[in-house]
């Protein structure tokens, strides 16, 4: 099993990047193979059909599609921007959905978010579920949400819960 962790924030001190690394730390401790995708790897022009027709899918999105396709599951860690999804993640989903490989179709996707607010990014997670359903991905029921997020709160997230979160979608 290989887990692909994708973060959706480029901010230097991003709580969501810290959550992504906390999840990777738990995966590493329990022998789960993983790959981290930095938010900078999601850099691509905003999806536009005319741009796609003229230039095709950007190389960065082709590479991301290959990583998604070869991973056992994907963990999307998205900040909440104005009660919705990180634009980097939304754009990456849109571009990858244009590939012939249909990398999202049937893919197990786990959703995580951290926010200093009381909802812990759950509004972004809710929107991601809808978006991913449209590209035929399967989103796991448990979300790794950290409300009132801080360095300390993320570090203190329960390891057994995070393992339960990471094990979702595995065959019995």
């Amino acid at each position: 099993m290989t887990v692909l962790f994708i973060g959706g924030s480029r901010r230097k001190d991003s709580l969501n990047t810290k959550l992504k690394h906390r999840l990777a730390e738990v995966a590493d401790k329990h022998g789960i193979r993983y790959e981290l995708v930095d938010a900078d790897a999601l850099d691509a022009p905003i999806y536009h059909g005319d741009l796609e027709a003229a230039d095709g899918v950007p190389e960065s999105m082709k590479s991301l599609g290959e990583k998604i396709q070869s991973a056992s599951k994907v963990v999307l860690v998205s900040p909440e921007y104005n009660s919705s999804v990180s634009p980097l993640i939304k754009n990456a989903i849109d571009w990858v959905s244009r590939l012939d490989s249909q990398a999202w179709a049937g893919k197990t996707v786990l959703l995580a978010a951290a926010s200093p607010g009381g909802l812990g990014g759950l509004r972004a997670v809710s929107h991601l579920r809808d978006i991913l359903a449209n590209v035929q991905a399967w989103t796991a029921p448990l979300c790794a949400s950290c409300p009132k997020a801080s360095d300390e709160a993320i570090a203190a997230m329960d390891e057994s819960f995070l393992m339960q979160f990471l094990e979702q979608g595995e065959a019995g």
Side-chain angles (χ1 to χ4, degrees):
M1 173 177 67
T2 303
V3 178
L4 185 67
F5 291 98
I6 301 174
S9 177
R10 286 180 150 169
R11 196 169 60 80
K12 186 178 108 185
D13 267 343
S14 164
L15 293 167
N16 285 277
T17 299
K18 292 174 183 180
L19 176 56
K20 178 180 77 172
H21 287 284
R22 172 75 172 117
L23 289 163
E25 172 188 294
V26 170
D28 192 47
K29 183 176 178 179
H30 292 272
I32 298 171
R33 290 183 325 161
Y34 65 89
E35 181 178 355
L36 296 171
V37 175
D38 189 67
D40 288 339
L42 305 182
D43 190 29
I46 298 296
Y47 177 77
H48 187 294
D50 292 343
L51 181 61
E52 179 187 10
D55 301 327
V57 175
E59 289 302 317
S60 61
M61 296 295 102
K62 288 178 184 176
S63 175
L64 181 63
E66 290 169 5
K67 289 178 182 187
I68 290 167
Q69 194 165 21
S70 66
S72 304
K73 59 181 86 172
V74 174
V75 178
L76 292 178
V77 186
S78 179
E80 185 175 283
Y81 289 6
N82 295 314
S83 302
S84 194
V85 179
S86 157
L88 285 171
I89 288 181
K90 174 62 168 94
N91 195 48
I93 292 169
D94 291 344
W95 274 115
V96 170
S97 75
R98 303 300 298 164
L99 296 169
D100 290 338
S101 66
Q102 294 297 301
W104 292 113
K107 184 59 60 181
T108 296
V109 181
L110 313 180
L111 303 174
S115 171
L119 296 178
L122 289 177
R123 293 174 293 194
V125 167
S126 175
H127 291 178
L128 276 169
R129 287 187 192 285
D130 292 341
I131 294 163
L132 290 162
N134 283 308
V135 294
Q136 300 175 342
W138 179 82
T139 55
L142 288 179
C143 166
S145 173
C146 185
K148 301 188 185 318
S150 65
D151 291 354
E152 296 76 20
I154 291 167
M157 290 179 79
D158 181 70
E159 185 174 322
S160 63
F161 169 77
L162 294 178
M163 266 309 294
Q164 183 182 6
F165 166 77
L166 290 172
E167 290 172 336
Q168 292 179 100
E170 294 177 18

